[in-house]
Amino acid sequence: PRVQVGIVGAGPAGLLLAHLLAGEGLEVAVLEARSREYLEQSPHRIRAGVLEWGSKEILAQAGLGDRMLVQGLEHRGVYLAFDGALHRLDFPALTEGRSIWVYGQQYLVQDLIRLYLEKGHAIHFEHEVVGLEALEAEPTLVYRTPQGQTERLVCEFVVGADGSHSLLRSQIPGAQVHQKTYPFAWLGILAQARPAAEELIYASHPRGFALFSMRSPSIARNYLQVPVEERLEDWPDARIWEELNRRLEGVAQVEPGPLLEKSLTPLRSMVVTPMQHGRFFLMGDAAHIVPPTGAKGMNLALCDAVLLYRAFKAYYQQKDPGPLEAYTPEALRHVWQAELFSYFMTTLLHTPADPFDDGLRQAHLRHLGQSPHLQRFLAENYVGLHTSGRY
Ligand code: DHB
């Protein structure tokens, strides 16, 4: 068999690209190592939950947003908590009317899978790609079928959207990997409990940062800054709730509820460059990682998908290879913008060990609390990388 675009990975980026390309009549194959059930539930991993204004617009325009628009929660601001007080950032006022949407990545992936199959296209679940050959001429995906056979798929182009543990990343000869680790991890919980407030609270506290988010009005998604060497065994549920409430002192309180999930994530940044070689392209977490503060990861992956969609469209419909050739520099503009914002949010909100660093951080935070100029920087980045909201 032979296809025009072989996409490796059925996460948000791979699936959005597949929808957009198949919508133009291109022959697309999607290969995904995991099962459909795993992708849709994946209770063992922290997954994203915030869609920027532009991500929401693009999904809605592509006909992929029906459930998101009904079940997702529109948020018109966030709270910062510091010095024992809440400070609200009003997104529409700071960004010419934009807001964000709280909608879990798992729900989005469920929607993208269901709609893709309903349109009559196939997703090859449990097809694990184990190699990639002939990148320059006839890129060929080598994969294992669910029955354990090794087979090959010849493609005109291959897109690696295979996540942060990407196997395909190593296929770009001479690629540079720019990395940064932060001396923090997040202990995250998903709980059957009322969220701390009607909007997200980013709480800076001498004991460490805490984030109070949600997935619905009855499901809370909360995080605690912890040292990187922390162990989950040392955090029984009661200790987590107690610590969450200590970091919320004076501004709000949360009522404990049953935990649905508990996990630890070290914070890091990574950028791979170039993001392409020959007829092969990387996108999403396979190409870049941001620390979670500010919720850019999934939005950044969706940006890559839109760029690659436009580039393939130019190639196949106008015979113009220019946008495909320019993919890396184009993508890196929004990648570095997201790295900058995620770094900004991480250093602004996490309590560092060094008292001098902490003094600078608190000065920055207090200035932000009073300055509409600094608030605009935060709000503009928070609501959006896709500035046009179109694909
Ligand atoms: C969530 C995660 C984030 O990193 C963030 O900045 C906001 C919300 C979340 O999982 O809900």
Side-chain angles (χ1 to χ4, degrees):
R2 190 187 171 101
V3 298
Q4 289 175 307
V5 183
I7 299 175
V8 183
L15 289 169
L16 175 61
L17 181 62
H19 269 280
L20 297 177
L21 294 179
E24 299 291 339
L26 296 188
E27 280 171 74
V28 175
V30 181
L31 281 74
E32 164 58 54
R34 310 278 194 174
S35 68
R36 180 174 179 181
E37 295 66 35
Y38 180 90
L39 292 189
E40 294 188 345
Q41 313 296 336
S42 63
H44 312 293
R45 302 177 298 164
I46 293 197
R47 301 280 86 194
V50 174
L51 291 169
E52 296 175 351
W53 174 81
S55 300
K56 182 267 295 180
E57 285 290 303
I58 284 162
L59 291 165
Q61 284 166 26
L64 304 170
D66 288 1
R67 186 163 73 126
M68 180 241 315
L69 293 172
V70 174
Q71 293 181 14
L73 307 171
E74 183 184 12
H75 282 203
R76 298 165 61 82
V78 293
Y79 292 103
L80 299 183
F82 58 91
D83 296 340
L86 279 179
H87 304 256
R88 183 167 184 272
L89 300 189
D90 179 334
F91 289 158
L94 292 162
T95 67
E96 285 135 30
R98 293 179 182 181
S99 57
I100 53 139
W101 286 66
V102 173
Y103 190 59
Q105 175 173 331
Q106 276 96 333
Y107 311 141
L108 179 63
V109 166
Q110 287 167 6
D111 299 345
L112 294 176
I113 290 173
R114 179 176 43 80
L115 292 166
Y116 199 70
L117 300 178
E118 278 174 18
K119 288 178 190 166
H121 309 306
I123 300 172
H124 303 285
F125 294 107
E126 297 172 77
H127 281 57
E128 188 187 2
V129 169
V130 293
L132 180 56
E133 298 167 350
L135 293 194
E136 284 89 356
E138 263 202 333
T140 304
L141 285 167
V142 186
Y143 61 93
R144 258 202 284 281
T145 67
Q147 292 73 37
Q149 279 141 336
T150 301
E151 293 184 1
R152 282 177 162 67
L153 177 69
V154 179
C155 307
E156 290 176 5
F157 294 97
V158 166
V159 176
D162 55 340
S164 59
H165 300 289
S166 176
L167 170 99
L168 293 180
R169 184 187 293 148
S170 63
Q171 297 287 329
I172 297 181
Q176 294 185 42
V177 181
H178 304 302
Q179 301 204 65
K180 176 169 184 65
T181 56
Y182 302 81
F184 319 116
W186 276 16
L187 193 172
I189 61 163
L190 185 71
Q192 193 81 51
R194 204 141 57 86
E198 74 290 353
E199 292 174 338
L200 275 53
I201 303 178
Y202 287 83
S204 165
H205 189 276
R207 297 178 63 84
F209 170 64
L211 170 59
F212 299 84
S213 180
M214 66 194 72
R215 287 295 174 274
S216 77
S218 57
I219 301 201
R221 179 56 136 166
N222 300 333
Y223 303 90
L224 288 170
Q225 171 192 344
V226 296
V228 272
E229 62 277 9
E230 205 71 10
R231 299 168 342 144
L232 223 38
E233 304 87 271
D234 296 330
W235 286 90
D237 298 3
R239 182 179 173 206
I240 296 174
W241 290 108
E242 195 182 313
E243 188 64 27
L244 286 165
N245 276 326
R246 288 179 84 165
R247 297 186 191 183
L248 260 190
E249 246 156 33
V251 296
Q253 285 293 276
V254 282
E255 278 298 323
L259 294 202
L260 307 170
E261 184 188 328
K262 176 155 70 166
S263 51
L264 266 180
T265 322
L267 269 52
R268 65 193 181 100
S269 291
M270 184 203 71
V271 177
V272 176
T273 182
M275 290 166 61
Q276 66 195 89
H277 179 76
R279 297 177 152 260
F280 171 61
F281 301 84
L282 276 180
M283 68 173 175
D285 284 1
H288 37 69
I289 300 293
V290 290
T293 336
K296 286 296 136 196
M298 174 168 61
N299 294 294
L300 192 49
L302 297 175
C303 271
D304 290 349
V306 167
L307 270 186
L308 272 179
Y309 160 69
R310 291 197 200 120
F312 282 124
K313 199 171 156 195
Y315 180 86
Y316 282 109
Q317 294 179 359
Q318 275 94 48
K319 303 199 168 14
D320 176 7
L324 275 177
E325 287 162 7
Y327 171 65
T328 294
E330 277 296 307
L332 285 179
R333 293 160 71 111
H334 66 238
V335 169
W336 282 111
Q337 185 66 34
E339 293 290 356
L340 167 65
F341 179 62
S342 307
Y343 171 90
F344 164 81
M345 289 289 277
T346 299
T347 46
L348 178 71
L349 291 162
H350 290 70
T351 307
D354 181 325
F356 189 89
D357 290 344
D358 199 41
L360 295 178
R361 182 185 77 82
Q362 290 192 51
H364 202 173
L365 199 49
R366 289 178 187 135
H367 188 189
L368 182 86
Q370 308 198 319
S371 162
H373 304 288
L374 293 194
Q375 291 176 9
R376 264 188 85 145
F377 169 80
L378 195 160
E380 281 172 3
N381 277 279
Y382 205 107
V383 303
L385 296 159
H386 317 255
T387 44
S388 82
R390 323 202 139 264
Y391 64 86

